[in-house]
Amino acid sequence: MALVNLPQNDRKRVKVYELRNNDWFDRGTGFCTGQVVEDESKIYVESEDHPDRILLETKISKDDGYQKQQDTLIVWTESGGTDMALSFQEAEGCAAIWEFVSQVQAHLLAISGPDDALSDDAMDSFPNPVMLPFPELGNLAEIDQMMRVASSSPQGRDSLSKFVITEDYVSKLVPLVETAEDLEALPELHRLSNIMKMLILLNDTHLIEFMVNDANILGVVGALEYDAEFPHHKANHREYLRDGRRFKEVVLIKDAATKTKIHSTWRLQYLKDVVLARILDDPTFSVLNSLIFFNQVDIVSQLQGAEGFLKDLFGIIDSSEANMEKKKDAVHFIQQCCAIAKNLQAPARGQLYNNFVQNGLLRVINFALLADDVSFRIAGSDILVAMIDHDPAMVRAYIYKSINENKVALTDTLIDLLLNEADLGVKAQASDAIKVLLDPQSAPQTQENLTRANAEFLSKIRGNTQPNPQESLVQSFYDNAAQKLFQPLKDLETRDSVHDLTFGEVSLFIHLIEILMFFIRQHLYRSKFFIAADGLPSRIAQLLACPQKHLKLTALKFFRTSIGLQDPFFNEQVTNNFLFEPILNIVYETMPRDNLLNSACLELFEFIKRENIKPMIAHVVENYRQKLEDINYVSVFEELILRYDQMQGYNPDMESTIFTQEESTSTSARPRLNGASQRWQGVREMDAAEEEYFNTSDDEDELAAKPKILTPSTNGTSPSPRPLVDYPSDEDEAAADVKFHDYDTRSPSTVQADTPLSSSPANTPSPKSTPTMAHSPLERLSEKRRREEDEEDELGKLSLTKRRGSSISSVGTVNGNPANYLRRKKSFTSAKDANGGKKIAISLAVKSPIDVERGRDHGG
């Protein structure tokens, strides 16, 4: 039999799915063709968006187990064990590819021979296809035994499945259920139940779909009501499935195939979750999930494509003629669609939500959350959570639009729901929704968001600054809604006791504290002002005295979070309000038990010690030192006290002061003076030479010796061991340099020195004398160096000033080095002066001892 390629232009639009971890992964949409290349038959799927990309290339073999499910689905298993599926857009395309696959497999079986088709053992075990007798109550035991034998091998299972489908065997078994019930033949009913279970566990999709159709479903579940393991009990599955009220057609579905698929999907879910929940194995569970998944994809796609369906559905909510029961059914229908969307791939889910939003999904959410009926609120919160999980930015944009139009924002609705709702599940969903919607950093990094961010950045550069919607939303929340949200916490201030909290109040306080912790992490600066203005940390500290331990743990978590930020603002909030006292009270109440509450308190103090948060360590020890000393079953409080003492400069290892430590150190070294083996017996008396040595000052010896070594003469006067002028600080020197520069510009000038001379009258020249300094080679060398240094940059001058300032500190150093002395000021004479040039006359005003005494008398 010759194989013929499908026409290249007859490409079928198809989706490629791959089973990963019991979930079908969408590999993409493309066009499917069947081709024979080099005597190998393959199925190709080219990408719709990128024609050069091949989504699927699989070789057709005779034993891959190709199955056609429904009218648009082909499922098979690759040689590597991966389950694959092709979902066609049209039934004609699926039929064409399936015909190609069937021809290829028939051709391969024809040329391979019987030995290659089946092993010898299989041929020996099944020389002929499985044939079951016509079902009757009398031969049910025989049929049961034959089916068990056939189900023991893969070849037998395939043969049995083909026989049951071909012979319409299920339709022949269904009437026996009612006959056996009329006869009250319980053993036959148990055998019928086992037969139905084995047929389902064959994992044949065609067979399962045939069993759940309208004609056979009641008979199948009727047989499964009788379980041999529970002979005295009977289920009522038929009664549940017969109840037509469970199927509510909110909007008329005109397509009969879509309606049939909805019924089939519901029955498959009932089989999986209720009827077969106890006996399902993994392969059967996977097959049922696959059938449900592909049915849901088809249903959602067909409903979106139905003309006017979504418009009529969302129009029920806005209609004034529709009653509340009709609106409730519409909300529940949308809720089920959103639940189905969670299992869809991202492109299909995004398309569904976009269509819903365009038709008014967010208005439906707002309407459901404000309804009086609790079922409305539950459905509305489920839809909102599903919408936020898909795209929170879309919900934020809707809220921002409502704020600009002065309408009730969705965040205000959520706050009312959190404060007033009795259902704990709805409270939790409202709390999570508030946190996600007010999170400025939760926007996913999609291409659209990156483009939007780049546009905002460029507009800021160009000066077209427009308000950021997310920032405006957060600011509007703090301006208008935050006070209302945290009002229950602020009301604790007027409450005498927290020992009478109701269960709803405890749940509300937990959610409020969780939201506040989220705010101090995400809205750091805005939350600071709000927390300080309302004193919320003190209100949360009140809850540490309540009897509910889980509420205490949540309050402790708040303080641990705020301290963990190591922000001075939050540290001051804790210390200024003395909020460590209730925490220490919890430690007292729970010690020495190692429970969760006690461990949380200890971890808080351990963190403060480990991070060395000094203001908190000082506050805790200074105010609660006695309490800390009483808690001795752990070391953390003792270490806190030690850390505080070290901060104050006290070391318990030191006996008194640093001088005592030096004395003890020298004392410990004294025994070595008289030998390591001898003990020091005391201080021996010093002789006269040693006493004279220690009584003599080293400075006096140096001053006495230095004039003999270097003593430059000054106008014939006796040398002085002290400097001629008591130089002022560096700033005064800079001012003096300016004065000298001004005087040098004059022709012979007289300069009066404002700086007083030394107080020794014996070594001081008379006020009218004009001292002239002898120019030695050492002086000329100093002048040369000075000129070179004047030509250097500013940095050299600064360093020179530093050296001059440091040289003033020692009298002996100045007198002992004439060069340094001469470099303190500009030279009074130059080289030209030495040869008879210009000279500078200096008039020095000196106070006599009598003037000094008079000044004291007047000052006294």
Side-chain angles (χ1 to χ4, degrees):
M1 181 176 60
L3 296 176
V4 180
N5 283 332
L6 293 176
Q8 290 294 326
N9 56 358
D10 189 17
R11 302 188 303 171
K12 313 301 180 184
R13 194 168 186 267
V14 68
K15 276 186 175 290
V16 182
Y17 291 95
E18 178 183 347
L19 187 63
R20 298 180 183 176
N21 299 324
N22 293 328
D23 191 14
W24 286 101
F25 174 74
D26 187 0
R27 294 177 60 173
T29 304
F31 297 98
C32 179
T33 58
Q35 302 179 21
V36 180
V37 180
E38 297 179 357
D39 296 332
E40 289 186 350
S41 303
K42 295 184 178 181
I43 296 176
Y44 292 91
V45 178
E46 299 178 356
S47 175
E48 182 180 25
D49 299 329
H50 307 282
D52 298 336
R53 179 187 172 198
I54 302 298
L55 297 178
L56 177 67
E57 179 182 353
T58 179
K59 179 182 176 183
I60 302 175
S61 60
K62 62 180 182 299
D63 53 356
D64 281 344
Y66 289 89
Q67 296 179 3
K68 182 183 178 184
Q69 301 179 5
Q70 307 170 13
D71 294 331
T72 59
L73 196 64
I74 297 177
V75 181
W76 75 97
T77 302
E78 293 283 343
S79 58
T82 304
D83 292 334
M84 303 294 297
L86 293 177
S87 178
F88 292 84
Q89 183 179 8
E90 299 177 353
E92 291 80 3
C94 179
I97 298 297
W98 178 251
E99 183 179 357
F100 176 75
V101 173
S102 300
Q103 290 180 1
V104 171
Q105 287 190 317
H107 177 72
L108 293 176
L109 288 174
I111 64 176
S112 61
D115 292 338
D116 192 25
L118 293 173
S119 63
D120 294 338
D121 296 338
M123 293 301 296
D124 293 341
S125 301
F126 296 95
N128 297 314
V130 175
M131 299 292 293
L132 298 177
F134 186 84
E136 295 178 353
L137 291 180
N139 62 359
L140 291 179
E142 180 184 358
I143 295 173
D144 187 8
Q145 182 63 28
M146 293 177 66
M147 292 179 64
R148 290 181 185 276
V149 174
S151 301
S152 60
S153 64
Q155 294 80 10
R157 294 164 65 90
D158 293 340
S159 179
L160 179 60
S161 299
K162 292 178 181 179
F163 173 80
V164 172
I165 294 173
T166 304
E167 297 295 329
D168 196 10
Y169 204 73
V170 176
S171 300
K172 299 174 181 178
L173 289 171
V174 167
L176 297 179
V177 177
E178 293 184 1
T179 304
E181 286 181 335
D182 293 339
L183 298 175
E184 296 183 355
L186 191 59
E188 283 72 17
L189 290 172
H190 289 164
R191 290 192 180 96
L192 283 171
S193 177
N194 292 334
I195 290 172
M196 294 298 180
K197 290 179 183 177
M198 282 189 288
L199 291 176
I200 294 175
L201 294 177
L202 290 176
N203 299 334
D204 189 288
T205 55
H206 287 287
L207 180 57
I208 294 175
E209 287 181 341
F210 185 74
M211 294 177 71
V212 297
N213 62 18
D214 295 338
N216 298 324
I217 182 63
L218 293 178
V220 171
V221 298
L224 294 174
E225 289 178 356
Y226 299 91
D227 194 342
E229 297 182 7
F230 302 95
H232 302 292
H233 296 83
K234 174 184 174 297
N236 56 351
H237 303 312
R238 284 175 291 183
E239 181 181 354
Y240 183 83
L241 294 176
R242 282 197 188 103
D243 189 359
R245 294 174 302 175
R246 301 186 183 279
F247 176 73
K248 298 179 180 180
E249 195 171 3
V250 183
V251 179
L252 180 62
I253 301 175
K254 301 177 181 180
D255 188 5
T258 303
K259 189 182 298 186
T260 301
K261 194 164 291 187
I262 292 174
H263 287 295
S264 178
T265 304
W266 178 61
R267 293 163 184 167
L268 287 171
Q269 288 178 330
Y270 186 76
L271 277 178
K272 178 177 71 74
D273 298 335
V274 180
V275 180
L276 304 175
R278 191 173 53 86
I279 65 171
L280 278 182
D281 54 7
D282 290 341
T284 307
F285 185 81
S286 177
V287 169
L288 292 176
N289 275 337
S290 300
L291 286 172
I292 294 171
F293 171 76
F294 289 114
N295 282 348
Q296 290 176 344
V297 172
D298 292 340
I299 291 170
V300 170
S301 177
Q302 291 170 7
L303 290 180
Q304 291 181 88
E307 183 179 358
F309 180 83
L310 295 180
K311 182 178 180 181
D312 295 340
L313 174 63
F314 287 93
I316 295 175
I317 306 299
D318 299 330
S319 175
S320 59
E321 299 178 358
N323 55 21
M324 292 302 296
E325 192 66 26
K326 190 74 172 178
K327 293 183 179 181
K328 181 191 295 186
D329 294 340
V331 172
H332 287 167
F333 181 84
I334 298 172
Q335 177 190 8
Q336 291 182 356
C337 290
C338 293
I340 292 174
K342 293 180 181 179
N343 300 323
L344 300 180
Q345 297 297 324
R349 184 171 62 248
Q351 182 182 2
L352 175 65
Y353 279 117
N354 288 334
N355 291 333
F356 277 6
V357 170
Q358 290 175 4
N359 287 275
L361 176 62
L362 294 170
R363 294 198 312 273
V364 174
I365 294 174
N366 206 14
F367 166 78
L369 294 178
L370 293 174
D372 296 333
D373 193 345
V374 65
S375 62
F376 270 104
R377 298 195 296 271
I378 294 174
S381 61
D382 288 342
I383 298 172
L384 177 61
V385 170
M387 183 67 189
I388 290 175
D389 289 341
H390 170 67
D391 189 2
M394 188 181 298
V395 185
R396 295 193 193 104
Y398 171 76
I399 299 174
Y400 182 68
K401 180 181 178 182
S402 301
I403 294 174
N404 291 336
E405 295 176 355
N406 294 325
K407 297 181 180 179
V408 178
L410 182 60
T411 50
D412 296 338
T413 305
L414 290 173
I415 291 172
D416 293 334
L417 193 66
L418 176 62
L419 298 179
N420 304 318
E421 180 58 48
D423 188 275
L424 299 182
V426 177
K427 273 184 181 291
Q429 288 179 330
S431 174
D432 294 339
I434 290 173
K435 288 187 286 188
V436 174
L437 293 176
L438 295 176
D439 184 6
Q441 301 176 358
S442 64
Q445 294 298 326
T446 60
Q447 185 65 32
E448 181 181 357
N449 291 334
L450 292 177
T451 304
R452 187 185 306 138
N454 292 335
E456 292 176 358
F457 177 73
L458 291 176
S459 65
K460 289 180 180 179
I461 293 179
R462 295 166 183 169
N464 300 327
T465 56
Q466 297 180 354
N468 185 2
Q470 178 63 23
E471 293 296 327
S472 301
L473 175 61
V474 174
Q475 186 61 46
S476 174
F477 169 79
Y478 278 99
D479 293 341
N480 305 315
Q483 295 285 342
K484 180 179 180 181
L485 176 61
F486 293 103
Q487 188 62 41
L489 278 177
K490 293 188 287 185
D491 292 341
L492 289 173
E493 185 175 4
T494 60
R495 191 160 184 162
D496 297 332
S497 174
V498 292
H499 291 275
D500 55 348
L501 297 176
T502 63
F503 192 76
E505 289 177 332
V506 171
S507 175
L508 175 61
F509 287 142
I510 289 176
H511 290 307
L512 292 180
I513 295 174
E514 292 282 353
I515 293 174
L516 190 59
M517 284 189 291
F518 172 81
F519 285 170
I520 66 175
R521 291 192 300 265
Q522 301 297 330
H523 310 153
L524 186 60
Y525 299 105
R526 290 188 177 94
S527 62
K528 283 182 179 180
F529 175 77
F530 179 75
I531 289 174
D534 295 332
L536 293 181
S538 299
R539 307 286 75 79
I540 295 176
Q542 285 184 248
L543 298 175
L544 293 173
C546 70
Q548 290 81 7
K549 292 184 179 179
H550 57 292
L551 182 54
K552 287 183 179 180
L553 285 170
T554 307
L556 277 174
K557 185 179 178 182
F558 169 80
F559 290 112
R560 176 63 177 82
T561 302
S562 58
I563 294 174
L565 295 175
Q566 298 196 31
D567 191 299
F569 169 80
F570 293 106
N571 293 346
E572 291 175 0
Q573 288 292 315
V574 175
T575 55
N576 294 344
N577 296 300
F578 298 93
L579 301 183
F580 278 109
E581 183 172 355
I583 300 177
L584 288 173
N585 291 338
I586 294 178
V587 177
Y588 262 79
E589 294 172 2
T590 57
M591 70 177 189
R593 299 189 300 273
D594 292 331
N595 54 21
L596 184 58
L597 195 57
N598 183 270
S599 300
C601 296
L602 296 181
E603 195 277 336
L604 175 64
F605 290 103
E606 179 67 30
F607 175 81
I608 295 174
K609 177 186 72 71
R610 183 175 65 251
E611 298 297 326
N612 195 23
I613 307 178
K614 294 182 179 180
M616 299 201 123
I617 295 175
H619 171 79
V620 171
V621 177
E622 289 174 356
N623 294 279
Y624 312 105
R625 185 174 189 124
Q626 185 60 44
K627 281 189 176 182
L628 300 183
E629 292 175 349
D630 294 341
I631 307 174
N632 52 15
Y633 73 103
V634 289
S635 61
V636 59
F637 298 104
E638 181 181 352
E639 293 170 355
L640 279 175
I641 296 174
L642 178 61
R643 184 69 57 84
Y644 172 77
D645 292 340
Q646 292 174 347
M647 288 164 48
Q648 302 302 316
Y650 171 74
N651 189 346
D653 296 332
M654 298 174 58
E655 293 181 0
S656 58
T657 63
I658 187 171
F659 303 105
T660 308
Q661 184 178 9
E662 292 179 355
E663 293 175 0
S664 61
T665 304
S666 62
T667 304
S668 62
R670 283 172 185 168
R672 299 183 181 179
L673 297 174
N674 298 328
S677 60
Q678 297 181 2
R679 188 174 181 85
W680 181 65
Q681 300 297 331
V683 181
R684 66 181 180 85
E685 294 183 358
M686 293 186 295
D687 54 15
E690 290 178 348
E691 289 184 357
E692 183 180 358
Y693 172 77
F694 284 108
N695 291 333
T696 304
S697 172
D698 293 340
D699 295 337
E700 295 176 359
D701 295 341
E702 292 179 2
L703 291 175
K706 285 178 180 178
K708 299 178 180 180
I709 300 174
L710 290 174
T711 310
S713 60
T714 306
N715 293 336
T717 59
S718 60
S720 173
R722 301 189 180 185
L724 179 63
V725 179
D726 188 6
Y727 287 99
S729 62
D730 293 342
E731 296 178 355
D732 297 335
E733 288 179 358
D737 289 341
V738 175
K739 291 181 179 180
F740 273 112
H741 178 70
D742 294 337
Y743 292 165
D744 289 340
T745 57
R746 307 171 187 173
S747 127
S749 56
T750 302
V751 181
Q752 293 184 354
D754 296 333
T755 306
L757 297 179
S758 174
S759 60
S760 175
N763 298 328
T764 304
S766 62
K768 298 181 180 180
S769 64
T770 305
T772 58
M773 301 182 66
H775 300 283
S776 64
L778 194 59
E779 290 179 283
R780 289 193 295 271
L781 179 61
S782 174
E783 286 294 326
K784 182 179 180 180
R785 290 180 180 174
R786 185 62 182 178
R787 287 193 301 271
E788 292 175 354
E789 289 173 353
D790 288 341
E791 295 173 359
E792 293 177 355
D793 57 1
E794 196 68 20
L795 182 61
K797 295 180 181 180
L798 293 176
S799 63
L800 178 62
T801 306
K802 290 289 184 180
R803 288 196 298 270
R804 289 186 301 179
S806 62
S807 63
I808 297 174
S809 60
S810 175
V811 175
T813 305
V814 172
N815 292 331
N817 192 345
N820 289 342
Y821 168 72
L822 293 174
R823 289 172 59 186
R824 289 184 179 276
K825 290 290 181 180
K826 291 184 178 180
S827 177
F828 295 140
T829 61
S830 62
K832 296 180 180 180
D833 298 335
N835 297 326
K838 298 179 180 180
K839 293 185 179 180
I840 299 175
I842 300 177
S843 177
L844 300 176
V846 181
K847 291 183 179 181
S848 65
I850 299 175
D851 296 333
V852 173
E853 291 296 329
R854 290 176 179 175
R856 290 178 181 176
D857 294 338
H858 289 292

